[in-house]
Amino acid sequence: MSLSADHRDALKELVNIGVGRAAAELNEMLASPIELSVPSVDVLTPDTFSRSFDESGGETVSLVQLPFEGAFTGRALLAFPSESATKLVCLLMGEDADTVTLDNVRAGTLTEVGNILLNSVMGSITNVLAAEVHYRVPSFYEDHKNRILSLERDPTNTTVMAARTTFCVRDLAIEGHIHLVFAVEAFDALLLAIDRASAAA
Amino acid sequence: MTSRAHYDLLDPLPVGACVVDANLCVVFWNSPLVDWTRKRPEQVLGKRLDELYPELFESRFLRRVSAVLAGAPPAFFSAQLHGSVIPILLPNGAARKSNTTVSLVKHARTEAPEALIVVEDVTNMMARIEAYEAMRVRANSELEERRKAEKRLHDLANELQRSNRELDDFASVVAHDLQAPIRHVMSWSEVLLDEYASTLNPAARKCLDHITRSAESMRRLVKDVLDYSRVTTRARASSGVSLSDVVDETERTLWPVLKESGGRIERDPLPVIKGDPTQLRQLILNLVGNGLKFRKPGVPPVVRVSTSRLDDPADEPAWQIEVSDNGIGFEPRHADQIFQMCRRLHSGSRYEGSGVGLAVCRRIVERHGGHIGADAVPDVGARFWIRWPLEPPDVNQAPRSDHPDRAQPRPRASTG
């Protein structure tokens, strides 16, 4: 199924709604007010997905992963270049970079931020799908981006919806990447659901 | 299978686990949670979580748990941001920290949505992080102290170096400028002796002799002090120097003494070593000259110069240069004193000298990154050894003293 301009707008809106909810949630919880925005939403093939990773800067990537299955199957990922991850955790926790480089401190904080963000985005998307989706618990890992890409590259046909997200904390803009990796048919199902929702509106 | 039996599988897990139904009423509470919360199952089962922990059920927690019960993805609450969502305690009553994950599960029979709350105790991990943080803060502050101390030391060393340089320059200037008046005293004394000898009575001539001898001692002392200061003020770059040539030159310089005493200089085949050529010549001249000077009465002095390689793997490779003699030697307890400035072990009436020669030797050797030492047996002889690095550090320094060594003309007797 081909992606129309309307589809793209609808997807961007869905992600924006989700990210907006996540921002409200994070603001209630964190000491530092945080603003989230979604400058761009793209739909990528696995190859262009790799390129978007390459552009994210830095060699190490911190990744929160939320796998899902059911009516449609895939993974929601929130990826930060390692330095951005450190900066974000420092700002959220008021710690300095030396402590934050400890895996456990990073893992806990980033997993929760990723959890809130990905849950909101997935909530916003599954609302239009009206389909049952089962989730696994979120997990965090950090590795060289090439190794992460080799793990994430699915041999079957996949479509990646990539949303660039900017976290603004205390005048600092930190960029993260939301990636929703769907099997092609699952993505088609999403587009159909969007079509149905717009027809009903 | 009842819901309770279904969840019993979670009892032996090393994490806290509880299950709440859609109304947040507790349907399962595992053993670790009993231990950590000090609440037995009968105290919690059927009760709403927000009744048990009212302070916890702020909207942010409730909203996320309710979302999970409504089908949203699992919610994760980190120890870093929350401490512990369900308060859990250590045996001593202190609060534990935990990561809490809330996931959707289905009732075994009715398939009604329930929330599984898994509490992972991370107190030890957080304590380790806090200990690490404290250690890091301590280490940083120690490092900062150390940096400050090093800076102070560095500043002091610079100050000391500057002050030493000023002293050297001062000694150099004073010694240099003293040469002219001493030469004048000596010259005018000679003029008196040469041209007015016939008019002087014996007592006056004796006085004049004293003046001449004292002036000569002073000239030697001033020359030695100048030599000492020039070790640093007139340093030259290191180059290859044939020790054999140096000993030849020393032999030529000391020929009158060798002839007069019947002495000789023996040597092994000697290598080419790196150093300031002028200073190496002065070093060997001083040591060999010393060996000839402190000879035993009636015994022709024999001074031997030899070298060997020191290849101790724990140390920088170096040459060992030895200068030994068959002279009067000295008490071994004086071995360190002899290198001190103006320190003399033997009376000036028997052995001429200012006591500066060996201090000059030590300064030359140390400037080249080496060490000098001596041992001796009284009435048998002395042995001086030098550890001279194969590759001396860069000792090239421009002369700092800006006063030229001005040659003073010998005064002429005024006959007019």
Side-chain angles (χ1 to χ4, degrees):
Chain A
M1 189 171 175
S2 63
L3 184 78
S4 67
D6 285 348
H7 286 143
R8 201 181 296 272
D9 287 348
L11 286 173
K12 188 166 180 178
E13 193 180 336
L14 287 176
V15 175
N16 261 308
I17 292 169
V19 166
R21 276 189 203 139
E25 192 98 48
L26 288 169
N27 271 328
E28 199 178 327
M29 205 171 73
L30 300 171
S32 303
I34 186 165
E35 276 176 41
L36 291 176
S37 56
V38 186
S40 68
V41 174
D42 290 307
V43 175
L44 310 169
T45 61
D47 281 346
T48 46
F49 170 49
S50 312
R51 276 206 292 280
S52 85
F53 249 117
D54 283 341
E55 286 159 7
S56 67
E59 294 297 302
T60 309
V61 174
S62 306
L63 202 74
V64 182
Q65 177 178 248
L66 177 68
F68 52 85
E69 58 200 8
F72 63 113
T73 298
R75 289 182 301 281
L77 312 168
L78 175 62
F80 291 103
S82 185
E83 279 172 28
S84 289
T86 304
K87 223 188 282 177
L88 180 63
V89 179
C90 285
L91 286 167
L92 297 184
M93 304 222 23
E95 303 256 354
D96 60 29
D98 283 351
T99 320
V100 163
T101 50
L102 288 176
D103 287 352
N104 289 324
V105 175
R106 294 164 73 88
T109 315
L110 288 173
T111 306
E112 183 156 0
V113 170
N115 176 237
I116 289 169
L117 194 60
L118 295 176
N119 285 14
S120 297
V121 172
M122 286 310 292
S124 164
I125 288 172
T126 50
N127 267 350
V128 292
L129 279 167
E132 196 171 351
V133 180
H134 303 287
Y135 300 93
R136 280 189 247 150
V137 290
S139 60
F140 173 85
Y141 60 102
E142 218 166 20
D143 207 338
H144 191 278
K145 65 182 172 194
N146 291 344
R147 270 195 296 279
I148 283 186
L149 277 175
S150 69
L151 287 172
E152 294 308 328
R153 193 172 288 144
D154 207 313
T156 59
N157 283 341
T158 53
T159 302
V160 181
M161 196 174 101
R164 199 148 57 83
T165 316
T166 310
F167 295 71
C168 284
V169 191
R170 283 187 227 149
D171 298 333
L172 265 178
I174 295 162
E175 205 155 274
H177 300 261
I178 298 172
H179 292 122
L180 304 179
V181 184
F182 298 101
V184 168
E185 35 316 343
F187 188 66
D188 285 348
L190 174 61
L191 296 185
L192 275 174
I194 288 172
D195 288 343
R196 272 200 308 275
S198 7
Chain B
M1 192 183 199
T2 65
S3 180
R4 169 71 216 220
H6 180 60
Y7 295 129
D8 272 350
L9 285 171
L10 303 173
D11 199 59
L13 293 184
V15 292
C18 75
V19 177
V20 294
D21 63 15
N23 296 318
L24 298 178
C25 289
V26 177
V27 296
F28 175 76
W29 193 258
N30 83 343
S31 301
L33 273 188
V34 171
D35 294 341
W36 295 346
T37 61
R38 323 252 164 102
K39 290 185 196 296
R40 294 187 306 279
E42 58 271 27
Q43 293 175 282
V44 295
L45 290 175
K47 297 226 168 85
R48 278 178 59 98
L49 261 190
D50 49 352
E51 278 174 48
L52 292 167
Y53 300 108
E55 72 280 9
L56 281 176
F57 275 75
E58 298 163 17
S59 61
R60 62 182 188 183
F61 180 80
L62 209 55
R63 196 166 53 236
R64 287 174 72 189
V65 175
S66 301
V68 171
L69 282 163
F76 176 78
F77 300 87
S78 64
Q80 285 78 19
L81 297 177
H82 302 274
S84 185
V85 170
I86 293 180
I88 56 175
L89 304 170
L90 288 163
N92 65 8
R96 290 180 195 255
K97 289 178 176 168
S98 69
N99 286 338
T100 304
T101 311
V102 184
S103 317
L104 180 69
V105 287
K106 294 285 172 66
H107 186 278
R109 188 166 36 80
T110 62
E111 294 214 333
E114 293 181 328
L116 167 65
I117 303 174
V118 173
V119 181
E120 185 194 356
D121 179 12
V122 291
T123 314
N124 285 344
M125 182 194 83
M126 297 294 283
R128 280 202 297 276
I129 291 169
E130 277 160 21
Y132 166 81
E133 173 62 7
M135 186 187 75
R136 199 186 57 80
V137 167
R138 209 167 45 243
N140 272 350
S141 108
E142 281 172 13
L143 197 67
E144 189 51 33
E145 280 302 304
R146 202 180 165 138
R147 271 199 206 112
K148 280 184 193 158
E150 272 173 10
K151 168 139 192 346
R152 277 198 298 272
L153 205 63
H154 182 74
D155 290 349
L156 269 176
N158 278 348
E159 178 55 24
L160 200 64
Q161 213 170 22
R162 190 193 57 77
S163 140
N164 277 344
R165 228 168 18 232
E166 277 179 13
L167 268 176
D168 273 348
D169 286 346
F170 176 74
S172 176
V173 169
V174 168
H176 177 267
D177 288 356
L178 275 175
Q179 286 182 123
I182 293 167
R183 258 197 309 268
H184 283 206
V185 171
M186 292 176 71
S187 302
W188 287 112
S189 302
E190 278 171 34
V191 169
L192 264 179
L193 280 169
D194 291 350
E195 298 182 17
Y196 300 97
S198 56
T199 65
L200 295 173
N201 65 29
R205 290 180 64 128
K206 201 173 168 187
C207 288
L208 205 53
D209 278 343
H210 282 309
I211 290 171
T212 313
R213 270 203 302 280
S214 294
E216 171 58 23
S217 293
M218 203 192 291
R219 186 196 61 78
R220 213 167 32 234
L221 177 63
V222 164
K223 180 191 162 294
D224 286 348
V225 169
L226 203 54
D227 284 347
Y228 184 82
S229 68
R230 280 177 180 168
V231 172
T232 53
T233 60
R234 292 289 178 91
R236 288 166 59 191
S238 280
S239 58
V241 179
S242 158
L243 265 189
S244 190
D245 290 351
V246 170
V247 174
D248 285 346
E249 201 177 320
T250 303
E251 205 161 19
R252 282 196 295 279
T253 308
L254 296 173
W255 175 244
V257 187
L258 289 165
K259 192 178 171 196
E260 180 244 314
S261 62
R264 66 177 191 278
I265 299 172
E266 292 180 349
R267 72 180 85 174
D268 288 341
L270 297 171
V272 171
I273 67 173
K274 280 191 180 169
D276 175 331
T278 309
Q279 294 190 357
L280 264 168
R281 278 197 290 274
Q282 185 163 21
L283 173 67
I284 299 298
L285 179 67
N286 284 8
L287 291 177
V288 172
N290 232 44
L292 297 178
K293 181 161 74 179
F294 295 103
R295 59 183 179 265
K296 280 185 281 201
V299 178
V302 179
V303 180
R304 178 173 183 76
V305 182
S306 61
T307 55
S308 55
R309 270 286 291 263
L310 299 173
D311 284 318
D312 178 358
D315 215 336
E316 291 284 307
W319 291 105
Q320 167 126 322
I321 306 170
E322 281 191 22
V323 178
S324 51
D325 62 58
N326 61 343
I328 57 172
F330 55 83
E331 288 292 341
R333 68 174 186 278
H334 298 312
D336 287 335
Q337 298 171 24
I338 58 174
F339 295 104
Q340 290 169 19
M341 187 78 164
C342 299
R343 177 63 68 122
R344 310 183 62 212
L345 299 181
H346 306 286
S347 77
S349 57
R350 276 183 67 188
Y351 299 98
E352 284 182 344
S354 58
V356 178
L358 288 177
V360 171
C361 290
R362 187 175 70 176
R363 207 170 202 207
I364 290 172
V365 172
E366 287 178 352
R367 206 190 126 242
H368 285 81
H371 302 290
I372 187 167
D375 43 50
V377 178
D379 292 325
V380 174
R383 181 181 75 101
F384 289 83
W385 55 262
I386 296 158
R387 184 188 168 86
W388 188 271
L390 239 52
E391 293 293 337
D394 184 15
V395 290
N396 188 11
Q397 282 178 292
R400 288 188 316 275
S401 187
D402 55 3
H403 64 90
D405 280 2
R406 299 171 296 262
Q408 297 286 337
R410 180 181 185 273
R412 297 166 76 132
S414 165
T415 51

